[in-house]
Amino acid sequence: MLQRGGAELEPEEQAALLQSCATTRSLAVLRRAHRLLASRSSSTIPAPILHGIATLYLKLGARGDARRALEGQSRRPPLGRGRPSEDAAVQAKRREAYEKVRELHEQIRAAGYVPDTRHVLHDVDEAAKARALMYHSERLAIAFGLVSTPPGTPLRVMKNLRICGDCHNAVKLIAKVTGREIVVRDNKRFHHFKDGVCSCGDYW
C-alpha cells in the first residue's frame, strides 16, 4: 500500500494504512505512511487519522514526531484558503488545548489518578511513560473540546483504535473534575463517562 500511485487515498484506505502501522509496530513504516498520507491529501490529513498517527508515534517512543505531526498540520493551509490570521487562531487554540491537557493531568492526579504505564510499549523511564499517556489522542481531543465549548456542553470523541485502560481511567476522572459528560466511541463500543463512572462498567 505504501507504493500506491499519486491518487489521493480514500478514507477507508487511510484507516487501513494506519491499522497496518499499528500491527507492524515499526517506526520506519509509520513514518513512511505518514509521508504518504501527507503527500496524497489535497488539503489536510483528517483529524481522526492524524490523531491516530500521533498516538502511534507516542506508543513507539517518538514523542517529537507526534508533536511535529500535530503542530505541522495546523501550519499547513488548505488549498485556496488559509489567511495568516486564521492560521494564528488555529495555532493559538492548539496551544491552549495542550495547556489544558497539562492542567487536567494535575487535576486528576489530585483526584487520585495514577498513570498505568503498562499501556506504554516502548522502553523509557516511568516519567516519560506518564508523559506519553498524558498526550494520547483522546485526551488531546477532549482538551480541545473543553477549551472550545461552553461549560456543561457534552463532548463526543470518535477514534478508530481501542481506548487504552489508562485513558479509560483518566477520562472517568476528567468527566468528574470538569462536570462534563464525555462520550468516546472507539472501535469496540460507546463509552459514556459521567461523574467519574463509565457506562461500560469498566469492561472497556
Side-chain angles (χ1 to χ4, degrees), residues 99-173:
E99 291 171 3
K100 189 65 175 179
V101 165
R102 293 187 283 272
E103 176 188 324
L104 289 171
H105 185 71
E106 295 302 319
Q107 289 179 320
I108 63 177
R109 286 293 290 263
Y113 165 74
V114 177
D116 187 351
T117 55
R118 294 175 300 172
H119 296 280
V120 180
L121 303 179
H122 42 281
D123 186 17
V124 292
D125 62 37
E126 290 299 303
K129 289 181 179 181
R131 287 193 298 271
L133 290 168
M134 181 171 63
Y135 291 109
H136 273 190
S137 61
E138 49 268 59
R139 300 194 212 186
L140 287 169
I142 289 168
F144 190 86
L146 288 171
V147 301
S148 303
T149 60
T153 305
L155 301 179
R156 294 173 176 83
V157 175
M158 297 187 69
K159 58 177 297 176
N160 56 4
L161 300 174
R162 190 179 184 190
I163 186 172
C164 78
D166 183 77
C167 282
H168 192 270
N169 291 333
V171 177
K172 286 195 298 183
L173 288 171

